[in-house]
Amino acid sequence: MKAGPSFADVPGSAAVLTSATQARLVLAGEVDVSMNDELMEASTELEQTGLPIDVDVRHVTFMDSSVIAVLARLTHRVPSRLRLIEPPDVVRFLLDVTKIGELVEVLDADPGFPGQDGTRGAGGVGAEVVPDPALSMRTDAPVLADGA
């Protein structure tokens, strides 16, 4: 029996999750310049929510400076401080070398994502929100709203 694909096998995916009180950009796999259009679209949507934004980068296997540029743009266009959830070494390196790490809050644990009823998502605080590669914005899938 073959196991399903791991995040290392995912070329790159991005999904936007929103609730009444929080927005989240979930990135996974190899996130690079080939995703600029999708990331700019997601960034614009996130800005328009006016909500605090978390960026879940736990499952990023590669990230280039073009993605850091999108994150930097977000830091200057949203009212609250952007939070990055559990950045792996490849992301931490870019945060350090570009100094963007000084503009964002780095979280060492997932704070959870509010459910539709205003409570924490299934599994409670720290529940893992894992993007489905089938919902990748690279495949023109719809952006998720209200966690649906």
Side-chain angles (χ1 to χ4, degrees), residues 10-141:
V10 177
S13 65
V16 172
L17 306 173
T18 60
S19 74
T21 59
Q22 188 74 29
R24 182 175 283 200
L25 174 61
V26 182
L27 301 175
E30 295 183 9
V31 188
D32 59 24
V33 69
S34 69
M35 294 182 62
N36 268 5
D37 290 342
E38 293 84 359
L39 291 173
M40 290 304 292
E41 181 181 324
S43 173
T44 299
E45 180 178 341
L46 289 164
E47 288 173 39
Q48 292 172 348
T49 69
L51 297 169
I53 301 168
D54 289 345
V55 182
D56 184 346
V57 292
R58 292 177 285 181
H59 301 289
V60 170
T61 57
F62 174 81
M63 178 183 284
D64 69 12
S65 61
S66 67
V67 181
I68 292 294
V70 171
L71 295 177
R73 177 180 180 267
L74 263 177
T75 65
H76 294 292
R77 293 179 168 238
V78 297
S80 59
R81 192 169 177 144
L82 204 64
R83 302 188 316 174
L84 271 65
I85 300 169
E86 300 180 40
D89 290 342
V90 65
V91 176
R92 285 182 188 266
F93 171 78
L94 287 172
L95 293 174
D96 290 342
V97 78
T98 62
K99 304 292 186 202
I100 298 301
E102 297 171 5
L103 303 176
V104 300
E105 182 179 351
V106 173
L107 303 178
D108 291 325
D110 183 0
F113 190 76
Q116 291 179 338
D117 61 358
T119 61
R120 294 290 180 178
V125 175
E128 186 171 8
V129 177
V130 178
D132 181 344
L135 298 177
S136 169
M137 291 177 64
R138 294 183 79 171
T139 60
D140 298 324

